[in-house]
Amino acid sequence: MASRQRYDFLLYGIFVAAILLAPLMLEEFWLNRIAKYLVFGMLGVAVALSWGYAGILNLGQGLFFGAGAYMLAMSLKLASPTSLQQGSDKPVPDFMLWNAEPGALTQLCCINKGSFIWLPFQSQWFGVAMGIVLPVAIATITGMIVFRNRISGVFVSIITLALVLLVRLLVIDAQPLTNGFNRLTDLAWLTIGAFQFDPYSRATYYLVAIALSLVLVGARLLVSTRAGLILQATRDDETRARYLGLDVPSYQIFFFVVSAAICGFAGMLYVMVSEFASPTFMDLSFSITMVVWAAVGGRSSILGACVGAILINMIEAKVSETKALVEVWKAVVGLIFVLVVLYLPRGLGGFAHDLLDRWRARNAEAVPDEGLVAERRDTVAERG
Amino acid sequence: MAATALTIDGLEVSFGSVKAVNNVTMTIAEGELRVLLGANGAGKTTLMDLISGRTHSTRGHIHLYDTEITNWQEHRIARAGIGRKFQIPSVFRELTVRQNFEVASCRNPSVFANLGFGFSRQTLARIEEVLAIVDLRDKADVTAAYLSHGQTQWLELGLLMLQDPKVILLDEPTAGMTAAETKKTAKIINSMRGKHTLLVVEHDMAFVREIAERITVLHLGEVLAEGDIASIETDQAVRRAYLGSRSIS
Ligand SMILES: Nc1ncnc2c1ncn2[C@@H]1O[C@H](COP(=O)(O)OP(=O)(O)O)[C@@H](O)[C@H]1O
Ligand SMILES: [Mg+2]
């Protein structure tokens, strides 16, 4: 087992090295695109944590992604030159000006009924902080209600799904505050000290790549703590865990919240890279797409889900250069998803693990602790 | 005289019109191994459900030593010192045997206390001990789902040993086992004797003879008789209740 862990960390190391060295081989134009996919990889990590390790199929991850995105986007919108029109030195988002009632005071405090909530977002760091705080708060409240009441399985999926759709409607509906369907665009760049993160620069790519590496390794370490082990136990058999004296809901809530925080973080990075925030982040199809990435890559493997998300998006980008292939590609991803669900419940990542185990077993027949795979095959054969 | 570990007093619960447990009163002394006997549907599992908090009683009280635990939440009862093995073995199927044992060894139930890595040397040593007792040493790194039925039952017994509760409830620990496996189970249960107070549901009289000191017989939710093996086997009421049944033989 220990050597399995060593292999695991070797793979993580290779992945981290690969994404950090990628800029040496890529043109700048590609960096922005790849950075987006790395953000999706981070979403894969979040899905693997909650679905693979906690057994909670959250179909509303887009809610947390969107919450993170909007919080940072609000700050970046206020910092944008487009918010300083008409010679004012106090920022007001342009779309609020366009829609202002005649005679309304053109200030952030009172240009419309709710505009005052934008006031604290004049500080960029308030937006950054809220990008984590808001998803965490929503997840904590939802988690407490859901898990303390022992709601589980498909019902959690339905509740989270309903929640993301509800919030999406609210964001669209609150047009005067959020610009609704028209998205928050023309954003400023994130600024640290005097440095500005140009979305097409190497600096931004490295920021995203380093963030992903930290989240990836952090999540991997988290699931190998005692709490991570207990979490997997609650996934396997909630009742057994409860009768061992473990407070099952507190573990579910904790990891649900961590997963939400990662999504919120990813939402902020996405805003930096793509320069907009949109209600489509909270489309049902996006949340489901995340689940597909993780399922294909391997929900029981954090790295697998992450790589799955990145690869699917890279292939998709290549394929979509040819119009005719776009629909075909969708069908292919759908087919892979179905096949993986039916035949490889642990995804391609899990499949790779098994191959690795098998290969190691063949290469080290004499070593006693390597008998695991053979043993598994025997027991399965016995049963069948 | 030993202290009373478990006191059940006038306990009742009904499902619809069926009184599954009806005015049951019994006390179990510290360190005792009590066998609970009764035909199918007598209410044995329901009684364990009541003690462990899975089902809430409508009347009566349960005390663990001096603490009243009636109708507490399951994990609080577990932490107060009651462990339970289910009729259908219940283990963490996707974890290895060793990982199962590690989970059961986590004393502190809080998430934040468990954000660290690994286990104390003492805990690891204890896990090795239990692996030896339940004879799963060579299966330590096997995923629990791949164990045989008997091994799964022993794994669950091992979980209880590591949880180390004062009182252990075992619901049909030999159900579905071969004779050899049953023998081994009796050995394991005997090794738990003295360290824990045990309440064991069992049908297999050969097995009961091997482990029992005192027996309580449940019939239609009520206590029908209580005593040592010899007195139960000759009890007229018990014989009448079991007339034609293979259970007392
Ligand atoms: N959850 C339940 N709902 C309705 N009836 C139940 C439930 N659990 C047990 N019973 C009934 O209670 C009686 C006792 O069952 P049980 O305790 O399982 O018996 P035993 O374990 O002694 O075989 C049976 O008549 C059974 O049908
Ligand atoms: Mg029963």
Side-chain angles (χ1 to χ4, degrees):
Chain A
M1 277 288 118
S3 58
R4 156 79 85 88
Q5 196 137 33
R6 229 176 310 137
Y7 268 98
D8 234 33
F9 280 106
L10 180 68
L11 289 177
Y12 278 69
I14 293 173
F15 175 81
V16 168
I19 62 172
L20 289 180
L21 294 178
L24 302 181
M25 285 164 276
L26 290 167
E27 296 166 49
E28 294 231 336
F29 163 77
W30 272 97
L31 289 182
N32 178 266
R33 262 201 185 177
I34 304 284
K36 271 183 206 167
Y37 305 154
L38 296 188
V39 172
F40 294 153
M42 196 182 282
L43 291 176
V45 173
V47 175
L49 258 189
S50 95
W51 188 25
Y53 280 85
I56 299 162
L57 178 54
N58 179 351
L59 287 183
Q61 298 277 20
L63 169 58
F64 306 126
F65 181 78
Y70 266 91
M71 290 301 100
L72 180 61
M74 283 165 77
S75 274
L76 297 183
K77 181 71 186 168
L78 288 182
S80 157
T82 61
S83 298
L84 288 171
Q85 283 165 349
Q86 302 172 333
S88 161
D89 60 341
K90 292 261 188 259
V92 176
D94 49 9
F95 66 87
M96 287 192 188
L97 286 174
W98 301 333
N99 295 320
E101 308 242 335
L105 200 59
T106 56
Q107 279 179 22
L108 200 50
C109 66
C110 23
I111 186 164
N112 63 41
K113 255 192 266 147
S115 61
F116 67 90
I117 64 164
W118 278 70
L119 282 169
F121 288 90
Q122 292 176 76
S123 151
Q124 173 189 279
W125 294 111
F126 180 81
V128 171
M130 285 303 287
I132 299 291
V133 171
L134 186 64
V136 163
I138 299 173
T140 307
I141 294 167
T142 316
M144 295 235 251
I145 294 171
V146 168
F147 300 119
R148 289 269 170 230
N149 287 304
R150 296 208 189 160
I151 297 170
S152 63
V154 68
F155 297 103
V156 182
S157 306
I158 292 170
I159 289 170
T160 48
L161 180 154
L163 203 63
V164 69
L165 291 183
L166 175 74
V167 173
R168 176 178 170 278
L169 270 186
L170 290 177
V171 168
I172 292 172
D173 205 48
Q175 155 98 36
L177 285 182
T178 62
N179 207 20
F181 267 130
N182 298 324
R183 319 186 300 177
L184 291 180
T185 51
D186 293 319
L187 306 181
W189 295 343
L190 187 87
T191 318
I192 295 180
F195 189 82
Q196 295 204 317
F197 282 91
D198 174 349
Y200 287 86
S201 68
R202 273 169 209 279
T204 300
Y205 176 87
Y206 277 119
L207 182 74
V208 173
I210 290 170
L212 175 61
S213 305
L214 292 177
V215 166
L216 189 69
V217 173
R220 180 65 182 79
L221 288 174
L222 190 61
V223 297
S224 38
T225 61
R226 290 188 297 275
L229 187 64
I230 294 172
L231 180 77
Q232 296 170 64
T234 69
R235 170 201 66 198
D236 283 4
D237 196 327
E238 237 177 84
T239 313
R240 177 75 270 168
R242 208 169 271 133
Y243 284 90
L244 287 176
L246 297 163
D247 184 19
V248 173
S250 67
Y251 286 84
Q252 293 171 321
I253 294 168
F254 178 78
F255 282 89
F256 186 70
V257 168
V258 170
S259 169
I262 293 175
C263 282
F265 186 37
M268 288 198 281
L269 292 173
Y270 194 77
V271 163
M272 282 184 60
V273 176
S274 69
E275 297 178 275
F276 72 91
S278 157
T280 57
F281 295 172
M282 288 173 276
D283 281 357
L284 185 54
S285 60
F286 185 52
S287 289
I288 289 178
T289 304
M290 289 181 210
V291 170
V292 173
W293 297 336
V296 171
R299 60 168 142 138
S300 60
S301 152
I302 287 173
L303 181 61
C306 176
V307 172
I310 295 169
L311 283 186
I312 288 181
N313 279 288
M314 282 171 94
I315 299 173
E316 194 165 287
K318 259 278 170 245
V319 165
S320 62
E321 284 165 8
T322 323
K323 256 269 177 331
L325 283 180
V326 175
E327 293 304 313
V328 176
W329 169 245
K330 277 186 190 154
V332 169
V333 170
L335 190 68
I336 295 178
F337 177 62
V338 172
L339 289 177
V340 161
V341 168
L342 286 179
Y343 299 108
L344 298 173
R346 303 195 306 125
L348 298 176
F351 184 59
H353 257 272
D354 290 348
L355 283 183
L356 195 70
D357 277 347
R358 216 164 283 189
W359 176 77
R360 281 175 45 215
R362 198 170 307 156
N363 273 282
E365 224 115 66
V367 186
D369 105 87
E370 310 285 340
L372 178 62
V373 174
E375 202 154 10
R376 274 191 194 178
R377 259 192 260 118
D378 289 350
T379 350
V380 171
E382 247 165 57
R383 294 189 176 196
Chain B
M1 209 197 119
T4 307
L6 193 65
T7 313
I8 297 166
D9 181 22
L11 206 61
E12 280 189 28
V13 72
S14 329
F15 299 113
S17 59
V18 188
K19 270 212 166 139
V21 167
N22 187 5
N23 195 24
V24 167
T25 297
M26 60 195 280
T27 58
I28 304 176
E30 179 168 64
E32 188 182 341
L33 190 160
R34 175 75 59 93
V35 169
L36 203 55
L37 215 56
N40 259 333
K44 305 177 302 287
T45 298
T46 308
L47 182 61
M48 293 198 159
D49 285 346
L50 289 167
I51 299 171
S52 60
R54 178 168 239 195
T55 307
H56 284 191
S57 60
T58 43
R59 258 192 53 197
H61 306 275
I62 306 166
H63 283 83
L64 175 66
Y65 291 87
D66 294 328
T67 318
E68 167 146 21
I69 55 165
T70 323
N71 297 349
W72 280 14
Q73 284 188 319
E74 297 103 311
H75 72 275
R76 288 189 59 213
I77 293 181
R79 243 180 279 161
I82 294 190
R84 168 172 190 184
K85 183 183 167 330
F86 292 90
Q87 197 167 339
I88 300 161
S90 155
V91 300
F92 306 118
R93 299 180 60 80
E94 289 183 42
L95 304 184
T96 66
V97 168
R98 189 187 303 278
Q99 286 176 322
N100 267 271
F101 283 169
E102 287 172 352
V103 171
S105 307
C106 289
R107 281 286 158 276
N108 195 326
S110 140
V111 183
F112 297 102
N114 286 319
L115 283 177
F117 300 94
F119 295 84
S120 69
R121 202 171 314 149
Q122 220 175 331
T123 305
L124 292 176
R126 176 67 188 145
I127 289 176
E128 288 306 319
E129 247 175 75
V130 173
L131 277 171
I133 296 174
V134 298
D135 198 16
L136 288 174
R137 229 193 212 141
D138 53 338
K139 301 280 177 196
D141 292 322
V142 174
T143 307
Y146 299 120
L147 295 178
S148 73
H149 175 73
Q151 289 168 335
T152 312
Q153 300 268 31
W154 298 326
L155 172 59
E156 199 179 7
L157 287 175
L159 291 180
L160 291 175
M161 288 182 212
L162 286 158
Q163 180 192 358
D164 198 21
K166 300 184 190 105
V167 173
I168 291 182
L169 315 174
L170 303 177
D171 201 348
E172 307 204 11
T174 66
M177 283 188 174
T178 64
E181 287 173 332
T182 303
K183 237 192 161 66
K184 205 151 137 188
T185 308
K187 215 176 106 199
I188 294 173
I189 291 177
N190 274 325
S191 83
M192 295 164 89
R193 205 193 272 269
K195 301 186 194 85
H196 310 273
T197 306
L198 290 142
L199 178 61
V200 185
V201 168
E202 196 43 69
H203 285 302
D204 184 339
M205 280 312 285
F207 180 74
V208 170
R209 282 194 201 98
E210 201 147 327
I211 63 165
E213 299 157 358
R214 269 178 91 74
I215 298 175
T216 300
V217 182
L218 272 192
H219 185 59
L220 299 176
E222 297 185 52
V223 176
L224 186 65
E226 197 174 300
D228 57 23
I229 288 218
S231 75
I232 290 297
E233 280 183 309
T234 52
D235 188 294
Q236 285 307 310
V238 174
R239 291 195 155 249
R240 229 173 297 125
Y242 276 98
L243 207 62
S245 136
R246 43 134 214 122
S247 294
I248 297 274
S249 49

